[in-house]
Amino acid sequence: MSQELRAVDWTGTGLTLIDQTRLPHRTETVDVRDVDTLVDAIQRLVVRGAPAIGAAGAYGVALALIQGEREGWSEARVREAVARIREARPTAVNLMVCVDRVMTRFTEGLDAVLEEAAAVQREDVDANRAMGGYGADWLLKKAGEDRPLRILTHCNTGALATAGWGTALGVIRELHARGRLEVVYADETRPLLQGSRLTAWELVQEGIPHYVQADAAAAGTVLRGEVDAAIVGADRIAANGDTANKVGTVGVALACAYAGIPFLVAAPTTTVDLSTPTGDGIHIELRGEDEVLEWAGVRTAPAESRGHNPAFDVTPGRLVTGLVTERGVLEVSAGELPGDRLR
Ligand code: MRU
C-alpha cells in the first residue's frame, strides 16, 4: 500500500474511512457525516487500531461541530456528542488523548479544531516513520547482524491502523526497505482476523514475503527457532510498561521470553498512559459473544454455550524487551520503564 492511502481522511466536509470490515476482498470507503455514524464505525471496527481511532476521534470533534451547526444543537449537546466519540471504545488511550487534545481548541471554532486534528494526523505519520528507523536499527544490532530477519507480528499495526505507515508494521516495512527482512509470520488474530485480512493485505501491497499462521501456532513457531524477534503494537501502555494489545499478544510475549528472543512493542508516546500505574488499571474491552460463537455469521458453538470475548490482553512490562517510540528504544525489561523515561 502506498503511504498516501489513508485509513482516515478529512475531505473538507466530513470523514472518509476505509471500511476495514470489507478488506481484503473489497476496498470500500465509508463517508461519515454525523456523530452516530462515527461512533458506530469505531465500534464495528470499520476504523480500528489505536492511532487510527485517535485520528478519527480528533476529526470527530469537527464533525460534531458541523452537525451541531447544521441541526441547531446547543454547545452542551455538541460536547455530549464529543464525549460519546471519546468513549466509543475503552482500551486504546489514543482515542481519549486525541479527542482531549483537539478539545483544547474547541472554543476557538471549527478552523482551529480542524488545524489541531490535522496536526494529530501529521504527527502520527512522523512518529511512525521515526519508530520505523529506531526499531529497525535496534533489531539489526541485536538480532540481525549475520542474516535477514524473520519477524513475528500479531494483529494489524500498519497504515490501516494508524494515520499512515504503521507502528510495528512500520518497523517491518523499514527492515524490508533496507533489504534486511527474510519473512514475516503474521498471526491471523482471532476472532476478527485483523492479521489474515489486514496485515496480510498490507504485506501483499508491499511485496513482503509472509506466512499467515493461526494464533495458536505462534508459540510453537517461536520455540522451534523459526523467528528472530516479535514486534507488536499497543493500545495502552501503563507507566510500568504493562502493555494492553490485541488478545493473544501475551502468549507471544511469554513464548519469546522462554525462547530468549526479543519481544518489542512499537507505539507512539500518545499510547503511553502515565496516569495508569500498572496494567491492572487498564479497561479491557469485552466485545459481543457472537464474535466467538459464530463463524462468518453462522453459529458454530452449541446454542447453550456462552462466549468470552476480551478484545485485548495485558503483557507484563517485564516481558517487553523494548518499547519503540518516536523518541527511540527503551529497554523495558532491563529496567528502563516508560514512566521513568517518558515523563
Ligand atoms: O481491535 P483492534 O483491531 O482495534 O485492535 C488493534 C490492536 O490491538 C493493535 O495492535 C493496536 O491498536 C496498535 S495499532 C498501531
Side-chain angles (χ1 to χ4, degrees):
M1 180 165 54
S2 86
Q3 194 204 340
E4 287 67 44
L5 191 54
R6 291 183 164 190
V8 176
D9 209 10
W10 182 256
T11 59
T13 49
L15 265 179
T16 299
L17 306 173
I18 294 177
D19 188 344
Q20 300 191 33
T21 66
R22 298 294 207 177
L23 286 169
H25 301 300
R26 286 192 222 160
T27 310
E28 292 175 9
T29 55
V30 175
D31 287 324
V32 181
R33 294 281 179 278
D34 61 81
V35 170
D36 284 352
T37 306
L38 179 59
V39 170
D40 177 68
I42 293 172
Q43 292 177 339
R44 286 195 303 111
L45 312 197
V46 168
V47 59
R48 44 139 308 274
I53 61 174
Y59 282 116
V61 178
L63 268 186
L65 272 170
I66 293 170
Q67 187 178 3
E69 181 70 31
R70 193 170 64 229
E71 299 181 12
W73 291 358
S74 65
E75 183 183 323
R77 183 149 178 214
V78 175
R79 286 182 183 273
E80 182 272 330
V82 170
R84 283 198 297 121
I85 297 168
R86 189 183 185 278
E87 286 150 24
R89 292 188 79 190
T91 304
V93 74
N94 310 58
L95 177 58
M96 296 120 207
V97 166
C98 294
V99 168
D100 291 348
R101 172 174 164 183
V102 173
M103 283 302 282
T104 61
R105 309 282 307 274
F106 183 78
T107 53
E108 294 171 56
L110 181 62
D111 286 349
V113 160
L114 280 171
E115 186 180 88
E116 201 63 31
V120 164
Q121 195 173 27
R122 198 174 51 244
E123 287 170 26
D124 188 57
V125 179
D126 292 347
N128 291 339
R129 285 288 192 166
M131 271 182 257
Y134 287 128
D137 288 347
W138 190 95
L139 279 167
L140 290 171
K141 199 165 124 209
K142 301 279 178 177
E145 265 166 8
D146 43 352
R147 57 182 166 72
L149 292 169
R150 304 158 303 167
I151 303 287
L152 185 148
T153 193
H154 191 80
C155 197
N156 171 264
T157 60
L160 289 168
T162 63
W165 186 251
T167 58
L169 209 60
V171 176
I172 288 169
R173 290 175 73 176
E174 178 67 25
L175 286 170
H176 177 66
R178 294 186 193 182
R180 303 300 305 278
L181 181 71
E182 183 179 319
V183 71
V184 175
Y185 288 85
D187 290 352
E188 65 175 348
T189 315
R190 285 284 291 137
L192 291 175
L193 304 178
Q194 288 92 328
S196 66
R197 292 188 305 103
L198 307 176
T199 300
W201 184 75
E202 290 200 46
L203 292 170
V204 168
Q205 312 303 308
E206 296 294 326
I208 296 178
H210 61 280
Y211 299 108
V212 174
Q213 65 178 357
D215 293 2
T221 304
V222 169
L223 296 190
R224 276 193 306 276
E226 290 172 26
V227 299
D228 300 299
I231 183 161
V232 301
D235 287 81
R236 190 183 297 233
I237 301 168
N240 72 342
D242 291 354
T243 297
N245 190 50
K246 178 54 55 192
V247 67
T249 301
V250 67
V252 174
L254 284 164
C256 289
Y258 191 87
I261 65 167
F263 174 83
L264 293 188
V265 173
T269 47
T270 47
T271 308
V272 180
D273 178 11
L274 296 180
S275 69
T276 298
T278 74
D280 292 346
I282 299 176
H283 182 162
I284 298 296
E285 175 185 6
L286 266 186
R287 294 184 60 83
E289 299 185 25
D290 288 349
E291 288 179 354
V292 289
L293 296 172
E294 295 180 351
W295 182 257
V298 177
R299 179 88 183 190
T300 49
E304 297 80 1
S305 299
R306 296 285 315 274
H308 176 55
N309 189 17
F312 303 99
D313 58 30
V314 176
T315 297
R318 63 183 178 280
L319 297 181
V320 177
T321 318
L323 168 62
V324 186
T325 76
E326 70 277 20
R327 300 192 200 166
V329 181
L330 296 180
E331 301 200 357
V332 181
S333 55
E336 295 182 353
L337 296 182
D340 297 337
R341 296 290 297 276
L342 294 177
R343 242 177 261 278

